[in-house]
C-alpha cells in the first residue's frame, strides 16, 4: 500500500471523530435547553465551572466521567446522550412453564 493510500485511510478517522464530537456538543446543548436550564445552572448541577461547561456545548465534548450525571439531570439514558438514539429495550422471553403431572 502506498503512503498516499495509507494517509487517506487514516484521514477518515479524524473526520468521524470530529462529527461525533460536534454532534455530542450540540446534543448536550439541546438537552439542557429542553430542560429550560441556563448553562450556569447545568454547570452547578454537574459541579464544574460555568466556563468549562460552556466549552462542552460549543467545542469540546463532555468528559466521560460527567456523562452519567448529565444523563441523570436531563432524564435521558447515557446511550441517548452519546448517540442521540434511545436504547433498545431488552424484552426477555417469558420462561416456558409446563405442568408437572
Amino acid at each position: 500500500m502506498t503512503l498516499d493510500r495509507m494517509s487517506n485511510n487514516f484521514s477518515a478517522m479524524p473526520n468521524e471523530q470530529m462529527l461525533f464530537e460536534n454532534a455530542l456538543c450540540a446534543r448536550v446543548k439541546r438537552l439542557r435547553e429542553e430542560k429550560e436550564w441556563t448553562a450556569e445552572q447545568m454547570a452547578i448541577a454537574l459541579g464544574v465551572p460555568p466556563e468549562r461547561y460552556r466549552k462542552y456545548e460549543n467545542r469540546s465534548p463532555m468528559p466521560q466521567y460527567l456523562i452519567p450525571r448529565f444523563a441523570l439531570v436531563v432524564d435521558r439514558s447515557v446511550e441517548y446522550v452519546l448517540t442521540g438514539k434511545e436504547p433498545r429495550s431488552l424484552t426477555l422471553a417469558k420462561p416456558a412453564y409446563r405442568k408437572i403431572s
Side-chain angles (χ1 to χ4, degrees):
M1 183 178 282
T2 67
L3 186 57
D4 242 5
R5 287 188 71 188
M6 284 176 47
S7 66
N8 285 341
N9 288 338
F10 291 123
S11 67
M13 184 58 181
N15 289 334
E16 290 174 15
Q17 183 73 25
M18 185 177 67
L19 290 173
F20 171 79
E21 290 176 2
N22 290 341
L24 178 58
C25 290
R27 199 164 24 260
V28 164
K29 182 175 185 175
R30 181 179 52 78
L31 290 169
R32 178 200 38 93
E33 289 173 342
E34 286 177 2
K35 191 165 179 67
E36 299 181 355
W37 280 22
T38 66
E40 289 76 19
Q41 289 170 313
M42 186 59 73
I44 291 167
L46 296 176
V48 297
E51 56 278 355
R52 186 181 310 159
Y53 175 77
R54 282 188 205 92
K55 185 173 73 169
Y56 302 150
E57 289 189 358
N58 296 310
R59 67 178 187 270
S60 298
M62 184 176 286
Q64 67 183 23
Y65 77 92
L66 284 177
I67 292 175
R69 192 178 324 166
F70 178 79
L72 187 63
V73 170
V74 296
D75 196 30
R76 292 295 188 127
S77 68
V78 169
E79 183 175 341
Y80 184 83
V81 172
L82 291 172
T83 66
K85 298 177 183 173
E86 293 295 340
R88 287 189 255 166
S89 63
L90 294 175
T91 49
L92 301 175
K94 292 182 181 178
Y97 294 102
R98 54 188 180 116
K99 190 175 182 178
I100 301 175
S101 37

